[in-house]
Amino acid sequence: MKATFKAYRLNFKQASGTSRGVLKTKKTWFIILEHNGKQGIGECGMFEGLSVDDRPDYEAKLQWVCDNINLGLVALLESVLEFPSIQFGLEMAFKALEAKSQFELYPSDFTKSKAAIPINGLIWMGTEAFMKSQIKAKLEAGFTCIKMKIGAIDFDRELALLKSIRKEFDANTIELRVDANGAFKPLEALEKLKILSDVELHSIEQPIKQGQIEAMAALCAQTPLPIALDEELIGVFSLAAKQKLIDIIKPQYVILKPTLVGGIKGSNDWIATAKAKQIDWWITSALESNVGLNAIAQYTFSKNSTLPQGLGTGGLFTNNFESPLYVENGFLHYDNTTPWHIKF
């Protein structure tokens, strides 16, 4: 088996605001496997500034993986435990080698174009006018679940935006989620959650910064609004550590980004841990190209969740790869008559 890797820079159509700054480009990497005349491509979408594997030796580890590819998937996954995005890239690439069709990793009604995945419409941080225009566009596009990133502008103005949606659409018509990306200070968080609960939100992601476990546990115990852990799950490697974190914090939801939490195996561990405590979950992409998004979407469909997922990021880039994935009326679809076009 031969393995190589390549870096690729995705360019945003429009600069996208997050709590970690404004993104104009997103670097990603691909592992390419060749064996018996077949090719498998896996995306290692390490997220600079967020991923636990954002380390100076990242590309050196990718090279090590390629040099030692014949160790096999199980041994390699153990060897890159602290590099979750490489774990996911390896899982993807090996699964593609085994597949009858290179990009149909989990054959299902989704890949047969018979079913689609409900997704949330993502509202990026920015000026009030920019956020309003995005909300209008998502509603016109048929989304019934909207996720708004908050913490960029004044809290009162963000609250006014949410209230303006609620004035027009009740909670039975439009589901509203917010993602604070850790923007609230622990001492102010509960009061802000009480205010936000008046807008009948579905949930809030990561109200305070990760790593403040006791403060987050206290917040989850008192909150009037369901809390979803997101960044809190990053860098928690062992199953025992995952179980301990959930036991202590007792969140209402967990959100899984396979690229950030150890790919398929890591996500399966989190799902099993959450289910054991009657905690629900959903899956979100982390600005991967369509190669990574394809794997995440197919895996997500296989888990039979009825909640809207966070998989609407494929249309953000000017130089994404042409693929069968497309979004329509708030659902992610797979058109199996559309071919893939991948050129690094």
Side-chain angles (χ1 to χ4, degrees):
M1 187 184 296
K2 181 188 173 190
T4 55
F5 77 89
K6 291 183 179 177
Y8 188 78
R9 192 167 291 279
L10 294 156
N11 300 315
F12 281 86
K13 291 176 182 174
Q14 185 164 19
S16 299
T18 74
S19 61
R20 282 167 287 278
V22 176
L23 302 175
K24 295 179 181 176
T25 65
K26 163 73 168 62
K27 194 175 181 183
T28 194
W29 292 259
F30 296 92
I31 290 177
I32 301 111
L33 304 184
E34 293 172 57
H35 186 61
N36 291 338
K38 292 186 74 177
Q39 185 186 69
I41 300 175
E43 182 169 2
C44 306
M46 188 270 282
F47 199 132
E48 292 171 304
L50 177 61
S51 296
V52 71
D53 48 7
D54 181 8
R55 300 167 35 163
D57 59 343
Y58 187 80
E59 290 200 348
K61 181 59 75 170
L62 276 172
Q63 187 60 58
W64 182 90
V65 164
C66 291
D67 293 342
N68 293 276
I69 200 68
N70 288 311
L71 288 173
L73 181 60
V74 174
L76 287 168
L77 290 178
E78 278 297 315
S79 300
V80 294
L81 192 63
E82 295 182 6
F83 293 81
S85 64
I86 298 178
Q87 287 184 307
F88 190 34
L90 281 166
E91 288 174 320
M92 221 181 293
F94 272 91
K95 200 151 186 64
L97 274 186
E98 297 165 5
K100 285 183 182 177
S101 176
Q102 184 182 356
F103 294 101
E104 193 177 3
L105 308 182
Y106 294 84
S108 66
D109 281 349
F110 176 66
T111 59
K112 291 178 175 64
S113 306
K114 293 179 180 177
I117 301 170
I119 61 173
N120 60 239
L122 182 59
I123 309 301
W124 290 90
M125 290 177 173
T127 64
E128 191 173 352
F130 174 58
M131 292 172 82
K132 266 185 179 171
S133 70
Q134 289 181 85
I135 291 165
K136 185 171 182 286
K138 293 298 181 191
L139 294 173
E140 287 174 353
F143 283 89
T144 56
C145 176
I146 286 177
K147 171 182 161 180
M148 189 170 118
K149 287 183 175 288
I150 60 174
I153 59 176
D154 178 74
F155 178 74
D156 290 336
R157 280 155 63 203
E158 288 171 336
L159 182 63
L161 274 175
L162 291 164
K163 284 181 175 178
S164 72
I165 301 173
R166 270 291 167 258
K167 198 177 282 186
E168 224 176 316
F169 304 97
D170 65 22
N172 292 321
T173 309
I174 297 291
E175 182 177 289
L176 285 177
R177 300 171 176 176
V178 295
D179 182 1
N181 284 128
F184 301 161
K185 292 180 175 63
L187 292 177
E188 67 180 15
L190 185 59
E191 189 56 38
K192 286 190 171 180
L193 294 188
K194 286 175 181 175
I195 294 167
L196 286 168
S197 68
D198 290 339
V199 197
E200 294 184 275
L201 301 182
H202 171 270
S203 56
I204 180 167
E205 295 179 34
Q206 206 66 46
I208 63 174
K209 279 192 170 65
Q210 70 267 37
Q212 304 174 90
I213 294 174
E214 297 300 333
M216 185 67 91
L219 206 52
C220 287
Q222 301 173 72
T223 183
L225 173 63
I227 290 173
L229 300 188
D230 182 1
E231 288 94 341
E232 202 75 61
L233 312 185
I234 296 171
V236 184
F237 299 120
S238 71
L239 180 58
K242 292 177 171 76
Q243 291 168 339
K244 184 179 178 184
L245 184 80
I246 295 300
D247 279 344
I248 293 171
I249 295 180
K250 298 180 177 66
Q252 284 73 39
Y253 293 100
V254 293
I255 299 170
L256 307 171
K257 292 185 171 80
T259 292
L260 302 181
V261 300
I264 303 305
K265 185 181 182 305
S267 297
N268 283 341
D269 285 349
W270 278 116
I271 289 171
T273 300
K275 276 187 173 178
K277 300 292 180 181
Q278 287 80 52
I279 294 166
D280 214 341
W281 54 270
W282 66 88
I283 292 173
T284 300
S285 52
L287 301 179
E288 299 84 359
S289 78
N290 279 334
V291 174
L293 180 60
N294 177 58
I296 295 169
Q298 291 186 35
Y299 165 70
T300 300
F301 188 83
S302 76
K303 304 308 286 185
N304 298 312
S305 172
T306 57
L307 292 174
Q309 309 294 313
L311 304 176
T313 56
L316 293 174
F317 308 112
T318 60
N319 59 336
N320 209 340
F321 309 109
E322 289 182 51
S323 80
L325 299 167
Y326 70 98
V327 175
E328 187 175 81
N329 291 325
F331 284 80
L332 181 67
H333 298 259
Y334 191 96
D335 178 3
N336 62 3
T337 65
T338 300
W340 282 85
H341 291 290
I342 295 181
K343 190 176 180 182
F344 298 119

